[in-house]
């Protein structure tokens, strides 16, 4: 019997250093919120079988890019993992158990599968919190190889990366140093926060405010007092008619981010909440 995969405790994650926050385990912990009976060991075994199938081939290859090409070929061509282009905002694309079951995901969940398989094979693949679509990066002799997990792990050149970044930078193409900065490896904590923010956006769009609040709450387990998550949870509580929670979070938000662009709007919400409270008595 292999070792069992132990999922972390939500309340212990905030105190952990970025480099020790476990990616796979915490991603499965996020999925367990939605799928309480999730068997974490099963998905660890699936990943391990992907890696073991590849190991002889990968060990026989010297160059990182060629190792990575073999990993991508197995995951995307042979096993059929692919980006869910038809239903991009389906929440199942963000839950790793569903990604393993359906072989469908969004850029960040597919990147996590890629990264976990690569790392088990000694290939140092990192995530990149690129604006728009999440990407992955691999060190190569003369720099880095950047790939798109949502599109079969396709390599992306500097010109295409600049074009992709432009809409998120006010229409300006980033210069070399800005592009390199954007391509910095993302910490596990940053990756997990992005997963939760994606889910929050999907649930808010669907008016599923209990789930939206839960996603913001989980961000706060990773980074207490994260301003956006305080605001998002407060607004979700407001939609759920949980006035006390909304008042607490929005007050805290204004304390943490007094100069935020929406600070005045949030102050108005708090005034309305207080007026509602005085009417009730």
């Amino acid at each position: 019997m292999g070792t069992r995969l132990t999922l972390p405790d939500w309340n212990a994650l905030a105190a952990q250093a970025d480099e020790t926050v476990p990616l796979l385990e915490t991603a499965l912990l996020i999925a367990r919120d939605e799928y309480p009976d999730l068997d974490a060991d099963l998905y660890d075994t699936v990943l391990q079988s992907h890696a073991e199938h590849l190991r002889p081939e990968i060990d026989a290859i010297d160059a990182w890019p060629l190792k990575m090409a073999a990993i991508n070929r197995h995951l995307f061509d042979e096993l059929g993992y692919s980006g869910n282009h038809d239903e991009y905002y389906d929440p199942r694309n963000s839950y790793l158990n569903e990604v393993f079951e359906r072989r469908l995901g969004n850029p960040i969940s597919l990147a996590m599968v890629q990264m976990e398989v690569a790392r088990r094979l000694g290939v140092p693949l990192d995530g990149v919190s690129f604006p728009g679509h999440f990407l992955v990066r691999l060190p190569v002799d003369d720099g880095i190889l950047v790939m798109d997990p949502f599109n079969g792990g396709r390599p992306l050149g500097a010109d295409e990366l600049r074009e992709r970044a432009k809409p998120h930078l006010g229409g300006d193409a980033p210069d070399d140093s800005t592009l390199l900065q954007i391509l910095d490896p993302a910490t596990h904590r940053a990756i997990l926060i992005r997963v939760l923010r994606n889910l929050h956006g999907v649930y808010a769009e669907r008016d599923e405010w209990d789930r939206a609040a839960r996603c913001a709450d989980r961000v706060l387990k990773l980074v207490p007092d994260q301003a956006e998550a305080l605001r998002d949870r407060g607004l979700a509580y407001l939609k759920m008619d949980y006035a006390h929670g909304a008042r607490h979070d929005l007050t805290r938000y204004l304390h943490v981010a007094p100069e935020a662009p929406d600070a005045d709007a949030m102050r108005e919400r708090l005034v309305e909440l207080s007026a509602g409270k005085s009417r009730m008595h």
Side-chain angles (χ1 to χ4, degrees), residues 16-231:
Q16 284 193 237
D18 280 349
E19 56 275 12
T20 65
V21 172
L23 186 62
L24 172 69
E25 291 88 334
T26 313
L28 289 170
L29 192 63
I30 290 169
R32 184 167 276 176
D33 278 338
E34 191 63 24
Y35 303 89
D37 299 328
L38 175 149
D39 178 358
D41 290 320
L42 173 65
Y43 302 110
D44 183 48
T45 304
V46 169
L47 270 175
Q48 197 56 29
S49 69
H50 293 349
E52 291 310 325
H53 175 89
L54 278 160
R55 196 175 299 281
E57 183 183 0
I58 299 304
D59 286 350
I61 299 171
D62 288 332
W64 292 128
L66 297 179
K67 287 179 188 273
M68 203 58 231
I71 292 169
N72 287 342
R73 189 165 56 246
H74 183 57
L75 289 178
F76 299 115
D77 298 345
E78 293 165 14
L79 294 174
Y81 284 95
S82 67
N84 191 346
H85 293 264
D86 296 334
E87 295 178 303
Y88 188 81
Y89 295 105
D90 185 328
R92 291 178 295 178
N93 296 331
S94 288
Y95 291 121
L96 268 193
N97 58 319
E98 289 281 10
V99 177
F100 288 123
E101 299 287 351
R102 302 165 74 227
R103 306 272 162 102
L104 273 178
N106 57 23
I108 197 164
S109 62
L110 293 169
M112 286 194 282
V113 174
Q114 243 185 328
M115 287 160 64
E116 283 292 328
V117 170
R119 287 171 179 185
R120 287 170 194 227
L121 294 165
V123 178
L125 190 67
D126 280 313
V128 175
S129 216
F130 202 79
H133 271 194
F134 196 87
L135 302 172
V136 292
R137 54 168 279 166
L138 182 75
V140 290
D141 296 340
D142 51 353
I144 52 173
L145 171 66
V146 181
M147 290 162 283
D148 179 358
F150 194 62
N151 291 293
R154 184 170 74 81
L156 302 172
D159 289 345
E160 185 173 351
L161 289 166
R162 283 195 183 87
E163 280 303 311
R164 284 188 178 206
K166 264 166 69 171
H168 306 277
L169 301 174
D172 297 321
D175 60 25
D176 288 354
S177 66
T178 306
L179 185 60
L180 276 173
Q181 217 174 339
I182 296 172
L183 292 171
D184 268 350
T187 64
H188 287 181
R189 194 185 305 272
I191 294 170
L192 295 158
I193 288 170
R194 186 155 168 170
V195 170
L196 288 162
R197 289 199 58 75
N198 285 346
L199 278 167
H200 170 271
V202 167
Y203 289 134
E205 191 67 29
R206 293 175 169 210
D207 291 333
E208 294 183 32
W209 295 108
D210 54 338
R211 288 184 164 93
R214 180 183 73 200
C215 294
D217 181 68
R218 293 315 196 190
V219 173
L220 292 165
K221 294 288 191 194
L222 286 159
V223 184
D225 277 354
Q226 206 244 24
E228 284 180 332
L230 283 167
R231 180 200 62 202

